[in-house]
Amino acid sequence: MAGSITPNRPAADGRQRRPLIVTEDEELLDDLLRLCAAAGAEPEVVHGLPARRGSWEGAPLILVGDDAAPRLRGGTRREGVLLIGRDLDDHGIWQRAVALGADNVAFLPDAETWLVDRIADVAEGVGRQALTIGVVGGRGGAGASTLACALAVTAARAGRRTMLIDGDPLGGGLDVLLGGEGAEGLRWPAFAESRGRVAGSALEESLPELHSLRVLSWDRGQSAAIAPSAMRAVLAAARRRGGVVVVDLPRRVDDTVAEALDQLDLGLLVVPAELRAVAAAHRVASTVGMVLRDLRAVVRGPCGPGLDDEEIARLLDLPLAGELPPEPGLSDALDGGEPPGGSARGPLARFCSEFWGRVLADAEQQGGGA
């Protein structure tokens, strides 16, 4: 549990989402209270069916010690009940779980990490996870970081909860591209040693807010190595906040990048409409595609005769996400403090708006994120 960031947060209606613990086993109670503290939750504790009306029915999660299972017969059947035991060889606990109507049985100490996650989920009020998009360049200078920023800016302008995560330590920092290198908030080095669970609300509140979105970028100090466990914990926390998450990725795939790819809903490979760029992008696509199943090509125009967007996607053996047209004056706009996609009428913002319209509609139909 070291490195967890898990403050206790109220539910949307202002009431604390308190799990219910039912046990008379003092040693087990101490363990469950410790796990609740690690998850940032303050539980209600009773020895049998709670006397307070609504406690059993209204608790978001109920942790029942195996000692209390016989005393709960006749209670209302409901979801969200876990039976907690210690003896892996006690096969009778499964019969008691069925009689109780428990969703699952958890054995301590083996299931501590899993149980902390379950408790923290209800304390945080986790709902639908964010639709998570990764952007990677087919070659250096392809414009992947620009597109990642534009996607995030466009989503935030449309009123969606948006987080932009810089997964490329050598990219110079997305906060710079957004004109916010001096903004207050944490950068990646603060999370370099994270493991276990990071609370989504704490992550969101700790990051710089730029153009109505939250940004996790790199600082200008020495490059800090981000462990795969840190990437896994931070990105999982970002996704639990809902809305959309955009991740700017490097072209190389190491263990840390593989953790990010594993949590993406889809990836966009940005390929300039040049033959050499297509050759380079083919190698990137082969590597990324080993981890990410849904990878689509974004062709950065202008396209020349004989090498249009559909032909480039065919050469890469990828679905085509669309052609990204040139945006005149982009460099001047960036120098003037306007972020990529900042002009709602520009080609870049229009491409992003159309992209979000398609993928968010698909996600809604499939019951996915956002």
Side-chain angles (χ1 to χ4, degrees):
M1 259 81 74
S4 294
I5 305 176
T6 50
N8 204 10
R9 300 287 177 191
D13 59 5
R15 294 179 300 175
Q16 189 66 48
R17 296 177 59 82
R18 301 179 64 190
L20 179 66
I21 297 176
V22 186
T23 184
E24 288 185 343
D25 184 330
E26 292 187 2
E27 183 178 352
L28 178 61
L29 177 59
D30 286 343
D31 284 339
L32 293 177
L33 289 174
R34 172 175 54 84
L35 298 180
C36 284
E42 182 181 348
E44 178 182 355
V45 179
V46 296
H47 299 313
L49 283 173
R52 187 167 67 87
R53 183 178 179 83
S55 291
W56 178 269
E57 293 80 8
L61 183 69
I62 300 177
L63 309 176
V64 178
D66 191 30
D67 66 291
R71 298 193 298 277
L72 297 179
R73 291 175 183 170
T76 303
R77 293 292 183 111
R78 50 152 293 171
E79 295 180 351
V81 177
L82 303 179
L83 185 58
I84 314 298
R86 294 188 183 278
D87 186 359
L88 289 167
D89 295 323
D90 179 10
H91 301 296
I93 193 172
W94 298 100
Q95 295 177 341
R96 294 189 290 278
V98 171
L100 181 63
D103 293 343
N104 211 330
V105 175
F107 293 97
L108 298 183
D110 301 63
E112 283 194 356
T113 300
W114 177 84
L115 194 53
V116 167
D117 283 345
R118 288 293 302 271
I119 298 168
D121 279 347
V122 301
E124 253 190 292
V126 173
R128 179 177 292 181
Q129 288 199 332
L131 179 65
T132 307
I133 310 296
V135 186
V136 60
R139 66 156 170 79
S145 295
T146 299
L147 178 58
C149 287
L151 285 168
V153 167
T154 306
R157 186 167 53 233
R160 293 193 175 272
R161 170 178 267 143
T162 305
M163 192 174 294
L164 176 62
I165 295 180
D166 189 348
D168 186 358
L170 302 180
L174 293 185
D175 55 351
V176 177
L177 194 53
L178 292 171
E181 60 269 27
E184 293 186 0
L186 299 183
R187 267 68 174 179
W188 259 119
F191 300 95
E193 301 299 325
S194 296
R195 62 185 187 274
R197 184 185 178 96
V198 174
S201 55
L203 173 67
E204 184 177 45
E205 292 170 8
S206 71
L207 300 179
E209 183 175 6
L210 303 170
H211 310 287
S212 301
L213 61 97
R214 298 286 180 165
V215 184
L216 177 54
S217 186
W218 298 87
D219 62 9
R220 260 50 67 189
Q222 283 189 317
S223 179
I226 302 301
S229 59
M231 177 62 76
R232 179 170 60 251
V234 167
L235 191 48
R239 297 186 70 204
R240 286 196 301 272
R241 295 300 288 162
V244 298
V245 174
V246 181
V247 187
D248 183 35
L249 295 165
R251 297 191 307 282
R252 72 186 187 286
V253 177
D254 56 18
D255 290 343
T256 299
V257 175
E259 284 290 351
L261 291 171
D262 191 51
Q263 294 198 53
L264 298 181
D265 293 301
L266 67 91
L268 298 177
L269 179 66
V270 184
V271 188
E274 306 162 4
L275 193 57
R276 288 186 63 193
V278 174
H282 197 282
R283 291 191 291 271
V284 177
S286 298
T287 304
V288 172
M290 294 176 65
V291 183
L292 179 62
R293 289 181 296 177
D294 191 352
L295 180 64
R296 309 177 192 182
V298 173
V299 177
R300 202 189 80 197
C303 294
L307 196 63
D308 61 14
D309 54 355
E310 293 183 354
E311 176 64 11
I312 290 173
R314 187 191 67 80
L315 291 171
L316 295 171
D317 194 25
L318 294 176
L320 178 64
E323 179 185 345
L324 186 60
E327 177 145 345
L330 178 60
S331 295
D332 290 340
L334 294 177
D335 291 340
E338 183 175 288
S343 172
R345 297 182 179 180
L348 184 55
R350 290 201 304 270
F351 173 90
C352 293
S353 295
E354 292 172 3
F355 169 80
W356 285 125
R358 292 194 304 271
V359 299
L360 290 170
D362 290 344
E364 290 290 343
Q365 291 179 356
Q366 298 170 13

